[in-house]
Amino acid sequence: MQFPRPARALAIATVALLGLTACAAGGSDSDASSDILIFAGGEPDHLTPGRQTVAFDQVMSVFSPLVDLDAEGNTSMLAAESVESEDATTWTITLKDGWTFHNGEPVTAQSYVDAWNFTAYGPNAWENSWELASIVGYTDLNPAEGEPTTDAMSGLTVVDDLTFTVELVGPDSQFPLQLTGAQTGFYPMPEAAYDDLDAYDRQPIGNGPFEMTEAWEDTEEYTVTAYADYAGPAPTIAGITFRPYTDNLTAYTDVLAGNADVLYLPTAKMTSAIADFGDDHVYSLQAPGVDYIGFPLWDEKWQNQDLREAISMAIDREAINEAIYGGLYAPANSLTSPNMNGDPAGICGELCEFDVDAAQAKLEEAGGFEGTMTIVYPGGSGLDELFEAYANQIRQNLGIDAVASPTTDWAEYWQSLVDHTVAGPHFGHWGALYPSQQSTLRALFTEGGGCYLCTGYSSDTVDELLLAADASQTLDDSYEGYAAVQEFVLSEFPTVPTFSNTYNYVTSERVLELPAVSGSPVLSKIVLAD
Amino acid sequence: MAKVIGGRVLELVIVFFGVTFVIYAMVFALPGDPIRALAGERPIAESTIATLRAAYHLDDPLLVQYFRYLGGLFTGDFGTDFSGRPVGAQILRAWPVTLVLALSAWAIEIVVGLGLGLVAALKRNTWIDRTILVTTILATAIPVFVVGVSAQLLFGVRWGILPVAGDKAGWPVAFILPAAVIALYGLAVVSRLMRSSVIDNLGMDYVRTARAKGLSRRRVVGVHVLRNSAIPAVTFLATDLGYLLGGAVVVEGIFNLPGIGNLLFGAIRSHEGPTVVGISTALILVFLVTSVLVDLLHAALDPRIRHD
C-alpha cells in the first residue's frame, strides 16, 4: 500500500460509517402472550413433511398423523377412523369425517394418496421418500436407471372420499406403527400445496392442531397458532414460537434465563442440567434411539468375533453413562431400546456386561491385537468425550493401544463408510422413527433397510427371521419373532450395543408438564403455568 | 489519476478471481458427500441422492462447477444452498446484523479505550495505571467464548438486565453484550496507545504555554490534549474494523445473532460450496471496494500522491 496509514484508516472509517447509516438493526418488539410456548430449536431445512429431516417438532405441530401413540407406545387412531388388514399385506385406511386442512379444504383419501405419490416420486428427490419404500409400486417411481414411466404407486387405491387401500410388498404387522407422527413422509397435503411448492415449504398448510399464520423466513423465529377448526383434541396452548439457535449452548443459557421454554438438552450439559434446572424441569424421555460401535467387517482383522466380544465386555457402560451422560442414558442390554414394544431386555446377556477378566480371556482367544486400534467418530458432533472414554477403557482393560480419532464432520464420516475406508471400530447410532423393533433391526442388519452402511452386516437368516416376524398376525407373536432375530444377530455379534438413548429436554419455570411419546415432546399437550 | 484508478481496479479483478477460486476449490476438496450427510444418520434413497447431486451439478469437475458459478455471479445470481434457498438473499439479510455489531463494538472501543488510556496517563505509575494495564491485558488472554458465556450468565441469567441471545430486542439492547465482548479484545492496545500519546502531549510546548496563560489543567487536558492524543488511537481503531468484523463472526454464534458469521459457520459445516463462496465473495468485495474508495479519497485529498 502506497499511502500513509493514518489518513487511509480515517477514510476507511468514514466509508464504514456511511454504511452504517444505510442499514438498521433488525428486531421488533412483540410481547409473546402468556400461553404461547417458545421452543428453542435449530433452523429447519424444510417444512414440507415429505422433505424435512431436522424439523420434526415444527412439522409435527402443523400436521396430525393417521395413528397416534400414547406414552406406553400403544397406538390409537387420530386422523384415521381405522387401519385394518386381513393378511397384513393389503391395508384399508378409513379416515375420520370432518377433518379439514387449514385452508378449509377437506382431508380426503385423495389428499393422502397424492401426497404419498408425490413424496415417493424419484425425480422430485424428496428426502423422506424412503419411508414409503415398502408400498407396491415404489420401485416404479424410483427405477435404478432412467426416468420413471409413471408417477403413481400401483399399491395405492382410492376407494371413496374417506377410504383408500395400501398394498405392501409383503405382510407387515407393524404398518400401523409406521403411520405414527415422526414418519412425516406419511402426512397428507392439500391440493393448494402443488400450486406453489416453494411457498408451501415456507408456510405449509396442514391438518394438525396448529396453523402457520405467517411464513418462515431464514434464521427468523415464527409462530404457529391453534387451528380453530381442528377436528382432533384441542391443543392446551394458544401457539408455539419456533426460535432457531445456531449454538445449542446459547439456547441452554436462554432457557435458563427464562427467555425460551423448551430445549433439547445438548450432550455437553447433561451432567449439569439437574443442578441448573432442578428435577422438575429436566425431562428424560425414553427414546427409540440406540448407540453402538460398528466395525469394518470387510476387513479380515475385524471378522474375528472374539475380538469384538472382548471390546464389548471391556467397556464399563455404567461408568461412562454417569461421567458423560449424567446417568441419563441406559446401558444397552439388547439391540433395541426399551422404548420399543416388546424389547427383549437383557437378551445380550454377559456380552454386554462389564467384566475385565472375561474380556481379557476373550482377547486371548482372539489371539490378541497387534498395533494401534483407531476408533473413528464424526467430529464436531459433541462425541469427543464419549469416544475418549471408550478408547481409555479399551486401553486400560485390554492393554490395547487404542486412540479415538474424529473425522472432519458428518460428511467425511459417512464417506469413509461408503468407501470402506474407515480405519477401525466406529461410531454407530440409529434413531428409529416409530417404536417397533422392526425399524432398528431392518435398518441396521439388512441390506435394503436403509442403514446397511452403518454396520456392513447382513445375513440370509436375519432376512428370513425378520420377514417371519413382520408377517406375525398378533403383536405378541411379532415380539417373539423379533427376539429371535436379535438372538441370531447377537450370536454373530457384528456390533457392540452400548447405550439406549433418552431424549432429554430442559424447560423454563413456566412449563409444568411436558407430555411425550416415544422420546418426542407432544407440544400440543404441554401444560403451562398461568 | 486514471492510471491510479486503472491499477487499483486491475488489482481488484485479480484478487477477486484468485480468492473466489481458492475458496471454491477448498470447499470442493472437503471429503464426503454433502447430500448423503443432509439427513444425518437416516437413509436417503439412492435415486434421491442421484437427483440432488445432478441438480446441484456436484458430479462435474471443479473448473466446470467454478465457471458455472462465476457465470451466475456476473448475472447477480449467488446460487442456492442445498435446501434450495437463494444465497444472495441470505447474505443481504445477514450482512447488516454483522455490520451493526462490528460498528457497535467499535464505538465501545473508542469511548472506553480512550477513556481508560487518558486516566492511565493522568495517573501514570500509580496503582490505577497498573490496574488498567493488567486488567486489559488479562481480558485479552481469556478465550472469547468464556467471556461471552460468562457475560450471558451474569447479565442475562443472574441479573436478567440484558437479553442472553438473539436480536429480537433490537439495537442497542440486543447488541450491548456481544459488542462489549468484541470490544474487550481491543481495549489493551487502544488504551496503551492513548496512554503514551497523552503522556507525549502533556510534555509538549503548547501545554506549557496554555498552562502559563492561566488555563485550568482540566481545560487543557479535556480540550487540547485529549483531542490531539486521540489521533493515533483512532487511527488504529479504523484499521481495526476488519478485525472487528472477524471477531463478530465468532461472537455471533455465541449470541445467536443471524449475521454473516452464523451463516458462514453453518454453510461450512454442511459443505454448502455456493454459500461459503458467496459470503466470502461478498466480504472480499466489500473490503476491496472500500480500499479502492479509500485510496481514491486519498488521491483526491492529497495532491502529492496524484503523481503519474
Side-chain angles (χ1 to χ4, degrees):
Chain A
M1 299 294 161
Q2 48 188 321
F3 307 118
R5 285 184 76 81
R8 176 187 159 79
L10 279 174
I12 292 182
T14 315
V15 172
L17 278 174
L18 286 174
L20 179 61
T21 55
C23 60
S28 59
D29 292 323
S30 64
D31 270 340
S33 105
S34 65
D35 46 0
I36 300 276
L37 179 84
I38 300 176
F39 186 89
E43 174 79 353
D45 51 348
H46 296 282
L47 294 181
T48 307
R51 301 210 64 183
Q52 69 80 24
T53 58
V54 295
F56 287 93
D57 294 294
Q58 289 88 334
V59 170
M60 286 163 75
S61 69
V62 178
F63 289 84
S64 282
L66 288 163
V67 178
D68 207 3
L69 283 169
D70 66 16
E72 280 76 46
N74 302 313
T75 56
S76 60
M77 297 299 128
L78 188 54
E81 179 73 43
S82 66
V83 177
E84 288 167 338
S85 175
E86 297 283 321
D87 56 1
T89 304
T90 305
W91 291 83
T92 303
I93 298 177
T94 310
L95 303 176
K96 281 189 185 136
D97 201 2
W99 280 61
T100 52
F101 287 105
H102 303 145
N103 63 351
E105 236 181 82
V107 180
T108 65
Q110 199 68 46
S111 324
Y112 281 90
V113 170
D114 288 347
W116 295 7
N117 279 329
F118 202 89
T119 301
Y121 187 63
N124 290 335
W126 280 18
E127 288 81 348
N128 291 329
S129 156
W130 62 279
E131 289 174 10
L132 302 154
S134 61
I135 298 172
V136 168
Y138 178 83
T139 46
D140 300 336
L141 269 53
N142 295 274
E145 294 283 319
E147 292 284 300
T149 52
T150 170
D151 57 6
M153 290 186 278
S154 55
L156 297 179
T157 314
V158 174
V159 177
D160 60 42
D161 261 4
L162 295 177
T163 317
F164 64 108
T165 60
V166 185
E167 193 190 335
L168 304 178
V169 289
D172 189 348
S173 57
Q174 311 295 304
F175 185 65
L177 281 166
Q178 294 176 16
L179 301 175
T180 53
Q183 298 245 94
T184 58
F186 285 99
Y187 285 142
M189 295 201 299
E191 275 173 40
Y194 306 96
D195 297 340
D196 185 348
L197 287 162
D198 288 336
Y200 189 76
D201 202 37
R202 293 282 168 178
Q203 191 171 1
I205 302 160
N207 64 336
F210 298 97
E211 63 177 320
M212 287 194 65
T213 45
E214 55 180 337
W216 153 56
E217 303 273 355
D218 291 337
T219 69
E220 304 234 334
E221 64 181 46
Y222 67 88
T223 300
V224 297
T225 50
Y227 172 47
D229 293 330
Y230 181 55
T236 50
I237 49 175
I240 308 165
T241 296
F242 289 103
R243 182 179 295 166
Y245 287 83
T246 334
D247 183 343
N248 54 15
L249 300 180
T250 303
Y252 182 87
T253 312
D254 224 7
V255 176
L256 198 55
N259 297 326
D261 295 314
V262 178
L263 169 75
Y264 183 83
L265 180 62
T267 312
K269 290 290 184 186
M270 280 172 118
T271 48
S272 57
I274 290 184
D276 285 346
F277 284 86
D279 280 329
D280 288 349
H281 297 287
V282 178
Y283 291 82
S284 189
L285 313 176
Q286 204 179 62
V290 285
D291 286 353
Y292 62 87
I293 298 174
F295 297 93
L297 292 173
W298 54 86
D299 180 346
E300 203 178 330
K301 183 157 68 172
W302 295 106
Q303 284 163 7
N304 187 333
Q305 186 172 339
D306 288 323
L307 175 60
R308 302 195 297 265
E309 292 179 356
I311 290 174
S312 181
M313 289 192 283
I315 294 173
D316 185 350
R317 294 168 176 76
E318 292 285 355
I320 294 180
N321 186 27
E322 284 305 322
I324 291 170
Y325 297 126
L328 293 175
Y329 270 18
N333 55 24
S334 71
L335 294 171
T336 50
S337 150
N339 180 253
M340 297 308 192
N341 295 332
D343 169 55
I347 197 167
C348 183
E350 58 189 16
L351 289 180
C352 289
E353 272 161 32
F354 177 54
D355 184 340
V356 178
D357 294 337
Q360 286 172 350
K362 279 278 182 201
L363 183 64
E364 216 159 291
E365 280 175 47
F369 186 89
E370 292 296 317
T372 301
M373 185 185 291
T374 309
I375 307 175
V376 182
Y377 64 96
S381 303
L383 293 163
D384 307 82
E385 289 186 6
L386 175 65
F387 278 79
E388 286 296 337
Y390 286 154
N392 275 335
Q393 298 210 332
I394 292 169
R395 211 162 35 231
Q396 284 170 12
N397 300 331
L398 293 177
I400 294 172
D401 177 25
V403 290
S405 162
T407 60
T408 322
D409 56 13
W410 263 103
E412 189 190 353
Y413 159 74
W414 270 122
Q415 202 66 40
S416 72
L417 295 181
V418 174
D419 298 342
H420 285 193
T421 54
V422 67
H426 58 82
F427 164 85
H429 177 258
W430 180 251
L433 295 180
Y434 56 97
S436 165
Q437 296 174 59
Q438 176 195 56
S439 166
T440 309
L441 298 175
R442 189 189 270 176
L444 294 180
F445 306 115
T446 71
E447 269 188 54
C451 216
Y452 175 58
L453 279 176
C454 306
T455 64
Y457 171 83
S458 70
S459 131
D460 292 341
T461 315
V462 171
D463 291 350
E464 282 163 29
L465 288 171
L466 202 51
L467 281 180
D470 290 347
S472 312
Q473 295 297 314
T474 70
L475 283 176
D476 283 339
D477 284 351
S478 77
Y479 301 155
E480 272 177 39
Y482 294 125
V485 177
Q486 297 216 19
E487 202 164 352
F488 181 80
V489 172
L490 287 165
S491 76
E492 304 211 311
F493 216 70
T495 62
V496 171
T498 49
F499 293 101
S500 295
N501 300 162
T502 46
Y503 297 164
N504 299 282
Y505 286 82
V506 288
T507 72
S508 65
E509 303 270 328
R510 284 174 71 205
V511 177
L512 299 182
E513 199 192 329
L514 183 74
V517 296
S518 201
S520 304
V522 182
L523 299 179
S524 63
K525 294 182 186 164
I526 204 163
V527 182
L528 292 181
D530 291 326
Chain B
M1 186 70 187
K3 199 173 166 187
V4 174
I5 296 176
R8 294 294 297 162
V9 171
L10 186 68
E11 223 177 281
L12 192 151
V13 171
I14 294 170
V15 171
F16 172 80
F17 279 103
V19 174
T20 50
F21 181 73
V22 167
I23 295 169
Y24 207 97
M26 288 197 304
V27 177
F28 184 86
L30 283 174
D33 179 354
I35 299 294
R36 203 178 282 279
L38 266 187
E41 67 184 14
R42 297 217 169 72
I44 294 190
E46 289 301 324
S47 56
T48 310
I49 294 179
T51 312
L52 285 176
R53 285 193 69 87
Y56 292 105
H57 307 290
L58 292 176
D59 296 317
D60 291 348
L62 168 63
L63 279 179
V64 176
Q65 285 194 39
Y66 174 68
F67 283 111
R68 180 180 295 110
Y69 177 76
L70 269 192
L73 216 52
F74 285 121
T75 57
D77 177 10
F78 275 81
T80 57
D81 67 11
F82 293 141
S83 300
R85 305 179 219 160
V87 174
Q90 293 186 47
I91 294 175
L92 277 184
R93 294 170 67 87
W95 188 233
V97 176
T98 303
L99 201 58
V100 167
L101 177 59
L103 290 172
S104 309
W106 201 46
I108 295 177
E109 259 190 34
I110 291 176
V111 174
V112 179
L114 295 191
L116 286 178
L118 181 65
V119 172
L122 296 179
K123 307 277 180 191
R124 66 174 173 279
N125 300 330
T126 65
W127 65 271
I128 297 177
D129 181 20
R130 290 194 195 96
T131 309
I132 290 175
L133 174 68
V134 169
T135 43
T136 53
I137 287 180
L138 266 185
T140 318
I142 309 172
V144 64
F145 68 90
V146 174
V147 176
V149 171
S150 312
Q152 286 175 328
L153 286 174
L154 272 186
F155 293 92
V157 179
R158 174 127 359 132
W159 299 328
I161 47 176
L162 287 170
V164 171
D167 65 344
K168 209 168 151 31
W171 194 85
V173 177
F175 286 82
I176 294 175
L177 270 191
V181 169
I182 299 175
L184 194 60
Y185 292 86
L187 287 184
V189 178
V190 175
S191 61
R192 291 321 275 175
L193 273 176
M194 182 65 182
R195 177 182 179 275
S196 54
S197 172
V198 170
I199 291 172
D200 283 352
N201 272 292
L202 284 176
M204 292 278 187
D205 290 345
Y206 76 87
V207 174
R208 213 176 321 137
T209 311
R211 292 286 286 156
K213 274 196 327 192
L215 288 184
S216 69
R217 181 176 156 82
R218 175 183 292 265
R219 188 168 164 77
V220 173
V221 171
V223 177
H224 302 286
V225 174
L226 181 60
R227 194 179 293 169
N228 288 327
S229 312
I231 294 170
V234 169
T235 307
F236 163 77
L237 278 167
T239 50
D240 201 33
L241 192 64
Y243 159 77
L244 289 181
L245 284 171
V249 164
V250 178
V251 169
E252 274 169 20
I254 301 173
F255 287 92
N256 203 40
L257 296 171
I260 290 287
N262 249 352
L263 197 59
L264 191 60
F265 180 74
I268 292 174
R269 278 196 64 136
S270 47
H271 293 201
E272 304 264 14
T275 315
V276 177
V277 183
I279 295 169
S280 318
T281 309
L283 279 170
I284 292 161
L285 281 178
V286 168
F287 277 103
L288 289 178
V289 170
T290 312
S291 84
V292 170
L293 281 181
V294 167
D295 286 350
L296 295 180
L297 206 57
H298 273 283
L301 290 175
D302 188 342
R304 279 172 304 175
I305 55 175
R306 240 180 277 159
H307 53 66
D308 285 325

